[in-house]
């Protein structure tokens, strides 16, 4: 892939998603756009880029961005954040919201939905009192193909093998051929919607818990700060923000401060009480 073509793809992706593609990611562009080369029936990647240049306002550009988004995920990813949710964060949120009997959770960059469904399973498995509450788990992503998978809640054997205990699999999934589908009761708990973090957001309720895990690593510092500042407005004053284990907001312009529970770091607005 020649540098000019890489720069063109890099610019499309950055303008539409703010994802940064460094030069060493050129191999990733080649591999992820190969299916689009076949789909468009062109000879090679250079011909695909030429088509993109000739038709700058077509769905093909969105497909390029979709192809370049990273969709790495798994059920109960990293384990200890979900342990902290079960033992510390969710009980505190239940105590605070006992009068309203409502709980709003936002899974950002939800990919194919494992994070959202892991959260739904955790609530059903360990907090039976929430069955009479109004629970909203909002799952958003920039990728139409991932949102479709999330809404369907259908996973391969390999995908459920990554993090889903067998007893929970049998309890909350239906076997369908070689795949497993989340039971309808759980799917109804998850609202799937498209959302691009760098574009205008829809009106959202105050969130009690926001997952923004392993997302900020793909953005430059100014973009990270803008997203975090917008999260401040959406998060309930006493709500919780969870980032990925390798992410930090140290020295950034943000009103969040970190708290530690065991191996888990989480964040709250500075004017909120600790859980």
């Amino acid at each position: 892939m020649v540098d000019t073509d890489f720069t063109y793809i890099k610019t499309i992706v950055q303008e539409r998603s703010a994802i940064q593609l460094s030069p060493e990611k050129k191999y990733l562009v080649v591999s992820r756009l190969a299916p689009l080369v076949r789909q468009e029936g062109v000879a090679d990647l250079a011909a695909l880029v030429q088509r993109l240049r000739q038709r700058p306002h077509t769905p093909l550009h969105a497909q390029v961005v979709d192809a370049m988004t990273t969709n790495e995920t798994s059920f109960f990813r990293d384990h200890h954040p979900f342990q902290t949710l079960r033992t510390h964060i969710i009980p505190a949120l239940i105590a605070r919201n006992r009068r309203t009997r409502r709980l709003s959770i936002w899974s950002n960059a939800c990919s194919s939905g494992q994070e959202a469904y892991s959260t739904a399973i955790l609530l059903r498995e360990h907090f039976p009192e929430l069955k009479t509450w109004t629970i909203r788990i909002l799952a958003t992503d920039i990728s139409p193909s991932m949102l479709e998978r999330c809404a369907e809640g259908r996973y391969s054997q390999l995908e459920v093998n990554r993090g889903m205990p067998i007893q929970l699999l049998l309890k909350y999934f239906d076997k369908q051929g070689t795949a497993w589908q989340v039971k309808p009761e759980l799917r109804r708990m998850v609202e799937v919607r498209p959302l691009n973090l760098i574009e205008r957001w829809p009106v959202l309720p105050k969130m009690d818990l926001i997952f923004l895990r392993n997302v900020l690593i793909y953005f430059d510092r100014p973009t990270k700060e803008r997203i975090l500042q917008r999260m401040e407005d959406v998060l309930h004053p006493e709500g919780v923000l969870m980032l990925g284990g390798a992410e930090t907001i140290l020295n950034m312009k943000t009103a969040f401060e970190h708290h530690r529970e065991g191996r888990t770091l989480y964040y709250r607005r500075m004017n909120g009480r600790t859980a």
Side-chain angles (χ1 to χ4, degrees):
M1 186 180 194
V2 299
D3 289 342
T4 53
D5 287 349
F6 173 76
T7 300
Y8 182 78
I9 296 296
K10 174 184 175 181
T11 301
I12 290 175
V13 173
Q14 183 171 349
E15 287 178 349
R16 298 193 178 210
S17 70
I19 294 173
Q20 304 288 306
L21 293 175
S22 57
E24 59 266 23
K25 294 294 179 66
K26 187 182 293 187
Y27 76 95
L28 198 62
V29 173
V30 174
S31 63
R32 290 192 178 179
L33 295 188
L36 285 182
V37 170
R38 295 191 293 271
Q39 171 190 299
E40 294 299 303
V42 293
D44 51 26
L45 191 53
L48 180 70
V49 173
Q50 181 63 24
R51 178 165 294 184
L52 289 164
R53 292 179 187 274
Q54 291 171 344
R55 307 172 188 173
H57 303 292
T58 67
L60 184 58
H61 287 72
Q63 290 179 289
V64 167
V65 177
D66 190 353
M68 292 311 304
T69 56
T70 298
N71 300 307
E72 170 62 23
T73 186
S74 60
F75 289 102
F76 299 102
R77 186 174 183 179
D78 301 327
H79 298 291
H80 66 85
F82 289 92
Q83 175 72 6
T84 299
L85 285 173
R86 182 177 70 83
T87 61
H88 187 70
I89 294 174
I90 297 298
L93 293 176
I94 290 175
R96 192 198 74 207
N97 291 9
R98 201 170 297 281
R99 183 181 62 83
T100 62
R101 300 172 68 83
R102 291 178 176 271
L103 196 61
S104 295
I105 299 170
W106 184 8
S107 174
N108 281 278
C110 67
S111 187
S112 44
Q114 283 91 323
E115 180 177 82
Y117 288 122
S118 295
T119 305
I121 290 172
L122 183 145
L123 297 182
R124 283 289 178 260
E125 187 71 7
H126 298 287
F127 303 98
E129 65 268 38
L130 293 180
K131 286 188 176 181
T132 60
W133 284 39
T134 299
I135 306 295
R136 183 186 189 186
I137 301 176
L138 177 63
T140 65
D141 202 278
I142 192 176
S143 168
S145 60
M146 289 297 105
L147 290 174
E148 184 176 346
R149 291 204 60 212
C150 180
E152 186 180 21
R154 185 180 173 89
Y155 302 98
S156 68
Q157 186 68 54
L158 179 61
E159 287 172 316
V160 297
N161 284 348
R162 296 188 64 199
M164 181 59 64
I166 184 63
Q167 68 272 22
L168 298 183
L169 177 65
L170 297 175
K171 186 174 181 178
Y172 293 104
F173 290 73
D174 292 320
K175 188 77 162 66
Q176 296 187 346
T178 60
W180 295 84
Q181 186 169 35
V182 178
K183 288 183 179 292
E185 177 193 359
L186 249 64
R187 296 207 307 275
R188 286 192 292 268
M189 292 176 63
V190 177
E191 177 185 351
V192 180
R193 295 172 61 178
L195 189 140
N196 187 331
L197 285 169
I198 68 166
E199 294 181 352
R200 184 176 181 178
W201 296 1
V203 177
L204 297 169
K206 290 294 184 181
M207 295 291 174
D208 299 296
L209 171 63
I210 297 178
F211 292 101
L212 191 66
R213 302 182 66 212
N214 308 297
V215 179
L216 296 179
I217 53 176
Y218 298 105
F219 303 136
D220 59 22
R221 184 187 179 110
T223 303
K224 292 178 184 179
E225 291 182 345
R226 286 195 299 271
I227 292 172
L228 287 168
Q229 287 162 8
R230 296 172 79 181
M231 289 291 171
E232 292 168 16
D233 297 330
V234 175
L235 186 67
H236 187 283
E238 298 178 36
V240 171
L241 171 70
M242 301 195 77
L243 304 181
E247 295 173 308
T248 179
I249 60 174
L250 187 66
N251 299 322
M252 289 189 188
K253 297 177 182 177
T254 172
F256 287 112
E257 60 184 3
H258 78 267
H259 299 265
R260 179 178 290 279
E261 180 67 24
R263 295 174 56 198
T264 305
L265 276 177
Y266 64 93
Y267 298 82
R268 300 185 66 122
R269 288 166 56 173
M270 290 182 183
N271 61 341
R273 296 197 303 270
T274 57

